Amino acid sequence: MVDIGRSMQEPTLLILTALADRPRHGYGLAQEILAISQGRVRLRTGTLYGSLERLQGEGLIEVFSEEVVQGRLRRTYTLTRTGRDTLAAEVRHITAHAREATRRLKQATIAPAGGPA
């Protein structure tokens, strides 16, 4: 399980998020991550598959199915219960940070240019 005492790296968060609603294969994951990040994050093939291997080793995802497509093995991945719980914990962590940042921004007074905030 990922240490939830620290923030999850963005690629991990995006992969787990992309798998939260349904199983996906590598190319489908890459496309979903691009959509979730509004085009900001494009995971390279090596990065994606290295991350999938690591997340599988950590017990956060597992192979849902395998099939041969045009002579190549296509694995479809899904979240495990641990992966779903880890993602939910990270969402709570991010939400708490966002809530505190919002509270502080609402309380902030604008200081003159060059002055203390």
Side-chain angles (χ1 to χ4, degrees):
M1 186 167 186
V2 170
D3 175 12
I4 58 175
R6 63 175 176 80
S7 292
M8 186 179 287
Q9 295 293 315
E10 186 176 28
T12 299
L13 176 63
L14 290 169
I15 290 168
L16 296 182
T17 299
L19 290 172
D21 60 344
R22 66 184 176 100
R24 298 181 196 278
H25 57 77
Y27 180 76
L29 273 168
Q31 294 305 303
E32 190 66 16
I33 288 165
L34 198 58
I36 291 168
S37 69
Q38 299 175 341
R40 191 178 52 77
V41 176
R42 183 181 307 269
L43 291 182
R44 294 177 185 241
T45 303
T47 301
L48 175 61
Y49 285 100
S51 295
L52 291 172
E53 187 174 307
R54 178 181 54 78
L55 293 171
Q56 195 173 1
E58 292 174 357
L60 300 178
I61 66 171
E62 63 189 2
V63 174
F64 179 77
S65 67
E66 294 180 326
E67 63 181 324
V68 176
V69 177
Q70 297 177 351
R72 299 180 73 172
L73 181 63
R74 176 188 285 175
R75 286 191 176 115
T76 300
Y77 298 90
T78 190
L79 287 180
T80 62
R81 169 58 59 191
T82 300
R84 190 166 296 284
D85 292 346
T86 299
L87 178 59
E90 183 66 10
V91 168
R92 288 189 300 273
H93 181 78
I94 291 168
T95 301
H97 282 283
R99 190 177 305 119
E100 180 61 15
T102 300
R103 183 188 71 77
R104 289 175 183 233
L105 285 168
K106 286 179 180 176
Q107 291 180 349
T109 57
I110 299 175

